[in-house]
Structure formats: C-alpha cells, structure tokens
Amino acid sequence: MNPSAQPPDWDPRSADVQRGPIRAYDEVAQRCPVAFSDMLQWSVFRHADVMRVLLDPATFSNAVSRHVAVPNGMDPPLHTAYRQVIEPYFSAQRVDAFEPACHAIADVLAQALQGAGEVELMESFALPFAVRAQCAFMGWPQALHAPLVSWLHKSQAATLAQDRPALAALAQEFDGIVEGLLQTRRQAGAAAPHDLTTALMQETVNGAPLSAADITSILRNWTVGEIGTIAAAVGILAQWLAGHGDVQAQLRAHSALVPAAIEEILRLHGPLATNRRVTTCPVELGGRSIAAGDRLTIHWTSANRDGRVFDQPDTFQLDRDQSANLLYGAGIHVCPGAPLARMELRVALQALLAATTQWQAAPGGGAVPAVYPASGFSSLRLRVQ
C-alpha cells in the first residue's frame, strides 16, 4: 500500500499528544505497537521490535536524509570507516581530561541558583550548561553560546512545522558557523588551537582527508545531538527529583548512586524522542506489512517502558538491571558520545545537589512539556532551597 493511502492510527501533532507525550506514546504502544501516522509514517514502540530494527541495518537503513549525515545517515561499510575515526574522540582518556572543565561550568551555574528562590531551570541551568560544556569540549568560543541556543530553538520549531525552506536556511546558517571556525584554524596554521575541532580537520577516511561537508556534518551532529539531549536530560532529571525528595536526599548522602539514578530516571522519560530509519525491502514488523522505501520512527522511551522487558516499568528502581536500557541506543549506531554524556549528566546533577538542600515544583506545577521533536520540558519552574 502507498503510505499516503494508509489510514492513520494516531496523530503525533494532536494537542493530546503534545500535552502528555509519554502517556500518549504508552497508550499507542498498547493498542498499536507499530502505528502509522501521516507525520512519521511507521512508528515502532515495543522493545523487541525496536531491537529488531537496530540490529538489522541491512533491512532498516540509516540513510534517511537527502543531505550528508556523518555517520548517523550512513550504512556499512562507509559507516564503519567513519565510526573508526569518530569513536576515539569520546575515549575514557579524553572524557576524563575534560571532566575538571565540565565541573567548573556546572558549579558556576549551580551556585548562581543559591538563594534565588523560584527559578526557570531550563534557561538558567540546563541549556546554558549543555551549550557551555559542548563548546568547551570542542574548543569553540564563548561568543557562540547565544547563537547556538537561538539556532537550536529555531531548528526545533522548523522541524515540528515540517518547514523545509526554514530547515534549509538553518542548515546554511550552521554551515556558516562551522566554516568560520574552520577558516580561523586554517589561517592560524601551526598556531591553531590544539582542540577537538582542529584535530578533526586532520582526520582521513579510507586514506582521503575529511571534506568540509564531512566535518560540518559531524560537528552539526555532535552539537545538535549533544546540546539538545543534554539540556533535555538535565531538565528531566530535575523535574523527576522535584517530586521525589526522598531520592534527592538519598543521592546527596550517597553520591555514588547518582549514575544509577540517572540511567533509571532517563529510562522512564528519555531525552531523545525518536530516530528514523528507511526500509530497503518489504518487511513484516509488529504484524504490519511495510513496503520498501517506507520511513520508520523509533520511539526510544516507549521501548524503555515496555513491561515485557522491564518489570513494573512505571516505577523507579535504583537497583534495576540497565542492560536492556536503550537510552544510548544499541547495535552499530549506538551513541559514540555516551561516555561524554554520562560524565556530563553526572557532573551536572552532582553540582545541583551540592548547591542546594532541596528543590520542588514551583506553585502551579511549573513543568511545560517540550513539543516534538524535542523531549523533556520547554520550561521548568522550580522552588530551590
């Protein structure tokens, strides 16, 4: 069946979905595990179906975009070659070396919340932390902090609206930002800063230097992916803990529990809503017949709340086995930046806990869900003590 003729099973843009996306995804997953919509085509919700997609890149291709997407939009063997270049940038040694700088960023932002009373956490901590940490990791100047925040907001709005002219203009805008950074380093020659961006300019794949388009795509992927998901994750962690003062107290008393708490809270509500795939051949999935060339959308949080895999999936269990948690994906496209993300989230949450005695939702609720394709919260008002 032509996808355009397929009757929709749900509407991701509906007001009901936008008001409570996690609840809405859970409901669709129960009645229609592989569901069709005009916006997303085939949505995959169950853990087993998601794993099938992740572990079969020959059938479910990542080459979903008309534009260069390195390496996320590639399949083997090209994907394999680029991953070999990228993975060392997130080595334990590099992440450990960056941790003190990350602590400094988080501590300054967290200490600024002391005595503030009511705060809007996304704009006062979560997003600034994500932007400053990412720029510091890549060696980018502080002058880019505000433009990157603005660019991210515009990109999310254009993606929701499916405004292709706006998305094209935003791609050009980001290309211009990166080209300015690269040109500065080219002109500096041997005096260029010894940072991640300069190092990336020296890389080769299959014996050939990375092209400017390759470098721009890699940096766009790292920037958009890292800033958006880290900011969303920090907001999700803070919002959940605002309603669980007992866990806050437990984490303040036992900081070694923070990493496990982060994994479990973000299993309940993930910072990345979806990823896309495209079928290379006809396939049956979840009882649905999907044609070659159809688009699939993986819903990460729904898979992570699947009761077939996670006992009492709606409950927080600090000692839960996280081996099936898809927070960072699985298979050949598992997130290469997971070590960096885990460190940044641990540092951010530890800084918030250390700078406060407690926080709770501000009067009136305080949490406004982010609009798809973003996850987490667009606004999060907290009372901080």
Side-chain angles (χ1 to χ4, degrees), residues 43-363:
S43 286
V44 184
F45 295 99
R46 288 193 308 201
H47 194 282
D49 292 333
V50 168
M51 286 299 295
R52 181 180 168 193
V53 171
L54 297 178
L55 300 180
D56 185 3
T59 301
F60 304 99
S61 168
N62 260 53
V64 298
S65 175
R66 295 170 295 175
H67 307 289
V68 176
V70 183
N72 288 12
M74 294 175 168
D75 297 319
L78 195 57
H79 170 266
T80 307
Y82 278 93
R83 281 287 295 229
Q84 289 173 347
V85 169
I86 288 169
E87 286 180 356
Y89 286 86
F90 302 100
S91 67
Q93 181 180 11
R94 188 181 289 270
V95 171
D96 289 347
F98 178 59
E99 184 168 338
C102 195
H103 272 289
I105 293 167
D107 289 343
V108 167
L109 289 168
Q111 288 163 13
L113 302 179
Q114 293 176 335
E118 188 172 309
V119 302
E120 201 296 295
L121 195 84
M122 298 309 298
E123 294 298 327
S124 64
F125 184 88
L127 192 52
F129 170 75
V131 171
R132 295 180 192 184
Q134 187 64 8
C135 284
F137 183 68
M138 295 191 296
W140 292 5
Q142 294 182 9
L144 281 181
H145 293 172
L148 285 173
V149 170
S150 175
W151 187 92
L152 186 67
H153 287 321
K154 290 185 292 186
S155 178
Q156 290 172 344
T159 301
L160 174 66
Q162 295 290 285
D163 186 340
R164 299 202 179 280
L167 289 169
L170 285 165
Q172 289 186 337
E173 180 182 336
F174 191 88
D175 290 355
I177 292 173
V178 173
E179 178 54 33
L181 294 163
L182 301 184
Q183 187 61 26
T184 297
R185 285 160 174 75
R186 293 189 195 104
Q187 292 172 348
H194 297 289
D195 57 26
L196 181 151
T197 303
T198 301
L200 194 61
M201 296 171 68
Q202 315 306 317
E203 296 287 358
T204 62
V205 172
N206 295 329
L210 290 177
S211 68
D214 287 341
I215 295 171
T216 299
S217 179
I218 292 169
L219 294 177
R220 184 190 302 116
N221 181 42
W222 288 353
T223 304
V224 178
E226 188 74 7
I227 292 175
T229 54
I230 291 296
V234 171
I236 291 165
L237 294 168
Q239 189 272 344
W240 190 91
L241 287 168
H244 297 83
D246 56 334
V247 181
Q248 275 192 57
Q250 186 179 18
L251 298 182
R252 285 190 178 90
H254 305 283
S255 62
L257 299 176
V258 166
I262 290 171
E263 298 285 313
E264 176 67 348
I265 295 169
L266 297 183
R267 181 194 64 79
L268 291 166
H269 183 171
L272 182 63
T274 60
N275 273 134
R276 296 183 297 163
R277 299 290 192 272
V278 61
T279 52
T280 61
C281 60
V283 64
E284 292 282 334
L285 186 67
R288 308 299 292 267
S289 296
I290 301 174
D294 280 5
R295 288 186 292 118
L296 277 78
T297 301
I298 296 167
H299 290 258
W300 296 109
T301 300
S302 294
N304 271 341
R305 294 164 60 87
D306 189 336
R308 301 166 187 82
V309 177
F310 300 97
D311 179 52
Q312 301 181 51
D314 290 333
T315 65
F316 173 84
Q317 298 179 19
L318 192 54
D319 61 350
R320 188 187 294 275
D321 177 5
Q322 298 290 342
S323 60
N325 190 335
L326 296 176
L327 176 59
Y328 296 102
I332 65 170
H333 292 286
V334 66
C335 178
L340 175 65
R342 284 191 166 102
M343 182 275 287
E344 290 182 348
L345 293 176
R346 170 176 54 79
V347 166
L349 185 52
Q350 287 174 336
L352 282 173
L353 292 166
T356 62
T357 56
Q358 66 171 326
W359 67 79
Q360 55 195 3

